[in-house]
Amino acid sequence: MTNPTTDAAKKDRVIIFDTTLRDGEQCPGASMTFEEKLEVAELLDNMGVDVIEAGFPIASVGDFESVSEIARRTKRAVVAGLARAIAGDIDRAGEAVRHAQRGRIHTFVSTSPIHLAHQMRKSEEEVLEIIAATVARARNLVEDVEWSAMDATRTPIEYLCRCVETAIKAGASTINLPDTVGYATPDEYRNMFQTIRERVPNADKAIFSVHCHDDLGLAVANSLAGVEGGARQIECTINGLGERAGNAALEEIVMAIKTRGDVLPYETGIETTMLTRASKLVSAVTSFPVQYNKAIVGRNAFAHESGIHQDGMLKNASTYEIMTPESVGVTKTSLVMGKHSGRHAFREKLKALGYNLGENALEDAFRRFKDLADRKKHVYDEDIEALVDEEILTAHDRVKLVSLSIIAGTRGPQRATMKLDVGGEIRTQEAEGNGPVDATFNAIKALVPHEATLELYQVHAVTEGTDAQAEVSVRLAMNGSSVTGRGADPDTLVASARAYLAALNKLLVRGERLHAHAAE
Ligand code: KIV
Ligand code: ZN
């Protein structure tokens, strides 16, 4: 069996290191539940990602548990846990990836003068000692150690060379040189890798890695330039999710390499037909919408609107299309079954859309599909995806919507009557509000009292037409952290209630976890 994490330099095979579950999840409001993280990790593994950075085990009990469980379940990919240059972090990361078939500790320390002076308050010599000690400690726990120089692109090259040499000597087999603040240009980033690889005497003992943030919109260009400079691992995230402006987008990097093999003579192990599914899943679990004109996975990425373009496309698709929609998993929007379709057809449809549901989840999704088909004339693939994503994500929810009726219109106050199932107990409430959405949310607050505040309320239509399903995103904040929930339904108010409850359920789970930990 070939091992891309060690053979990459020889074959120009580029290692794809996905950090959606770590750097991506650090993005405010993008936090995922335990189950959501497992689902994303499974998809990344099936899609051919080489390394999954599953989290930051010391950050919280929840992070530790999800990294451990992903480590246990992942079949092909290396599973990495992040650690600062602190003994406790490294030991915790080692414990979290202990059960992985292939586990990695990824430890980092800042190297730039700005970080050393203002954040670390350490001298260059002290940081070199820290690198040697922490990498060696990690190497005692696992064979596969990655070391990162945080803020590498603002670090003087002579000092960066000494840091890299020290890390490799201490046992790091991957050296990551991040553009932490998204400051570099492609030429600078390419040159940095070339120089380091020329000057560091033991550089041939490690694989070099790029990790770029998108503050100036250069993350993908910089990542590819770094590969031209000799790096053979790319750290990236689905949909470019990540701190501030985000990280380099995995789907853009992979498709640039695939489409421009003439100037980028590299290969990845990614099954590109799964990119759209991955994008939708990450968008669903984080409730971060994908920009319509986003490269590769935006809903307009393959839409040709102008007359000239449409004319060209009809004559020959290559006139305006540099890659096919099918190559990234976009299937033609097709009319799915109607209300007479049976379970078998529904199951086949789900398989074609990339879902693999257990019997109970399938039964629930089928019931909701029938209900939707009764209310909506045409049911499209996108409708099924919205419905199933919601079904998967809310399967374990403690608070569920049973029914909702609303009195709305020009004469207020608007009024909501809501029935909820709260852990098996049915509760009913009537509430007024300044508009029907406000009345709906007030009813939830009365039925399940909580302190959370609403940070975001967003609606968009899943497909076209006035009977389209509304997809609503709600972000709630409590005790300094925020979560997002999503709900879909042809009735915008029902979708709003579902989205609010999805977010509230996440907060409840988080609260229970913290409570359990405090009691330990
Ligand atoms: O951007 C960065 O420098 C990071 C490191 C922790 C690798 O995310
Ligand atoms: Zn980062």
Side-chain angles (χ1 to χ4, degrees):
M1 195 172 113
T2 59
N3 182 355
T5 58
T6 51
D7 297 351
K10 289 175 226 153
K11 292 162 130 188
D12 279 341
R13 163 81 152 76
V14 176
I15 296 161
I16 297 295
F17 175 117
D18 180 278
T19 183
T20 307
L21 297 172
R22 199 278 299 169
D23 220 340
E25 217 228 356
Q26 271 171 234
C27 169
S31 61
M32 301 171 221
T33 63
F34 179 76
E35 286 78 19
E36 288 166 351
K37 287 182 187 175
L38 299 189
E39 214 190 325
V40 171
E42 189 183 351
L43 190 130
L44 294 175
D45 195 27
N46 291 338
M47 191 167 76
V49 160
D50 301 297
V51 186
I52 299 172
E53 184 159 60
F56 193 0
I58 196 82
S60 68
V61 185
D63 251 49
F64 176 82
E65 285 173 356
S66 55
V67 176
S68 312
E69 194 53 32
I70 290 168
R72 276 200 186 85
R73 292 183 183 208
T74 299
K75 298 193 179 79
R76 296 195 297 204
V78 171
V79 176
L82 186 70
R84 288 168 299 181
I86 298 174
D89 275 39
I90 291 170
D91 296 350
R92 193 79 169 141
E95 209 183 321
V97 300
R98 195 156 54 102
H99 297 291
Q101 290 191 18
R102 299 157 72 202
R104 171 180 297 187
I105 295 177
H106 174 195
T107 181
F108 70 97
V109 71
S110 289
T111 53
S112 69
I114 301 178
H115 284 213
L116 260 56
H118 302 294
Q119 201 177 7
M120 313 247 322
R121 305 219 162 91
K122 299 250 184 262
S123 69
E124 288 190 346
E125 297 309 312
E126 282 172 318
V127 170
L128 284 170
E129 279 169 26
I130 291 172
I131 295 170
T134 51
V135 171
R137 189 177 187 103
R139 195 63 176 72
N140 268 337
L141 299 173
V142 291
E143 244 184 69
D144 185 346
V145 174
E146 170 169 341
W147 176 77
S148 285
M150 197 176 207
D151 207 14
T153 49
R154 294 192 298 170
T155 302
I157 199 77
E158 297 74 23
Y159 181 58
L160 192 57
C161 284
R162 290 177 68 202
C163 292
V164 169
E165 186 179 354
T166 305
I168 297 174
K169 208 158 146 200
S173 48
T174 302
I175 299 292
N176 182 36
L177 303 177
D179 185 24
T180 304
V181 292
Y183 181 70
T185 64
D187 276 349
E188 284 172 343
Y189 204 52
R190 183 189 302 104
N191 289 340
M192 181 182 76
F193 281 95
Q194 274 165 351
T195 311
I196 295 270
R197 291 180 64 243
E198 276 160 25
R199 289 201 201 161
V200 172
N202 53 4
D204 61 323
K205 307 255 175 341
I207 289 176
F208 284 83
S209 171
V210 299
H211 177 116
C212 298
H213 283 268
D214 208 28
D215 300 66
L216 293 174
L218 291 171
V220 170
N222 282 342
S223 301
L224 295 172
V227 171
E228 283 170 349
R232 286 296 177 271
Q233 174 175 287
I234 302 181
E235 304 197 357
C236 45
T237 59
I238 302 291
N239 296 338
L241 198 69
E243 289 263 21
R244 306 182 310 277
N247 288 59
L250 180 147
E251 59 279 2
E252 294 177 22
I253 282 169
V254 167
M255 288 314 288
I257 290 175
K258 183 169 172 163
T259 309
R260 295 307 310 274
D262 53 335
V263 286
L264 297 168
Y266 317 108
E267 57 179 29
T268 74
I270 299 295
E271 174 51 60
T272 62
T273 56
M274 291 179 73
L275 290 172
T276 298
R277 173 88 203 98
S279 165
K280 285 188 176 164
L281 177 66
V282 169
S283 172
V285 298
T286 57
S287 295
F288 260 61
V290 176
Q291 180 188 328
Y292 281 6
N293 59 339
K294 160 94 179 56
I296 317 296
V297 291
R299 70 154 67 171
N300 290 354
F302 293 94
H304 300 274
E305 200 64 41
S306 85
I308 295 179
H309 285 215
Q310 284 181 349
D311 177 59
M313 285 295 293
L314 288 172
K315 287 174 177 148
N316 188 321
S318 68
T319 49
Y320 290 99
E321 212 164 68
I322 57 168
M323 55 199 154
T324 64
E326 291 77 18
S327 67
V328 300
V330 175
T331 45
K332 296 240 166 357
T333 296
S334 60
L335 201 57
V336 222
M337 314 130 301
K339 59 180 168 186
H340 301 297
S341 312
R343 261 183 202 74
H344 183 68
F346 185 67
R347 190 194 300 262
E348 290 304 307
K349 183 52 146 187
L350 291 188
K351 243 196 245 164
L353 292 172
Y355 292 99
N356 184 14
L357 299 192
E359 276 315 308
N360 289 346
L362 183 89
E363 203 47 46
D364 289 343
F366 183 64
R367 208 173 312 123
R368 280 194 63 190
F369 158 70
K370 283 296 217 188
D371 179 42
L372 184 66
D374 269 342
R375 298 155 71 196
K376 193 170 182 293
K377 203 161 144 210
H378 302 305
V379 180
Y380 297 93
D381 286 356
E382 289 92 328
D383 288 314
I384 301 263
E385 283 168 344
L387 180 154
V388 177
D389 282 340
E390 193 187 318
E391 198 57 53
I392 293 171
L393 301 177
T394 58
H396 306 286
D397 280 359
R398 205 155 67 76
V399 185
K400 289 182 196 261
L401 180 69
V402 178
S403 67
L404 171 68
S405 48
I406 300 277
I407 300 176
T410 49
R411 259 207 264 144
Q414 286 73 20
R415 186 177 285 276
T417 307
M418 177 176 281
K419 211 182 259 186
L420 292 183
D421 176 335
V422 184
E425 179 200 336
I426 302 294
R427 298 183 191 168
T428 309
Q429 180 75 36
E430 239 184 66
E432 288 183 354
N434 191 10
V437 176
D438 194 42
T440 303
F441 292 176
N442 285 342
I444 297 177
K445 276 183 220 147
L447 287 166
V448 187
H450 56 274
E451 299 295 313
T453 52
L454 182 70
E455 278 193 337
L456 172 118
Y457 171 77
Q458 205 165 266
V459 185
H460 85 263
V462 174
T463 55
E464 274 149 32
T466 50
D467 70 343
Q469 285 200 91
E471 194 161 52
V472 176
S473 299
V474 161
R475 190 188 307 152
L476 295 179
M478 198 163 77
N479 300 332
S481 70
S482 53
V483 293
T484 35
R486 211 148 87 149
D489 197 274
D491 184 316
T492 309
L493 296 166
V494 174
S496 304
R498 287 194 205 281
Y500 194 104
L501 289 173
L504 185 60
N505 274 296
K506 284 190 188 178
L507 282 179
L508 294 177
V509 169
R510 184 172 292 179
E512 275 162 20
R513 239 182 238 280
L514 289 175
H515 197 69
H517 184 52
E520 270 170 16

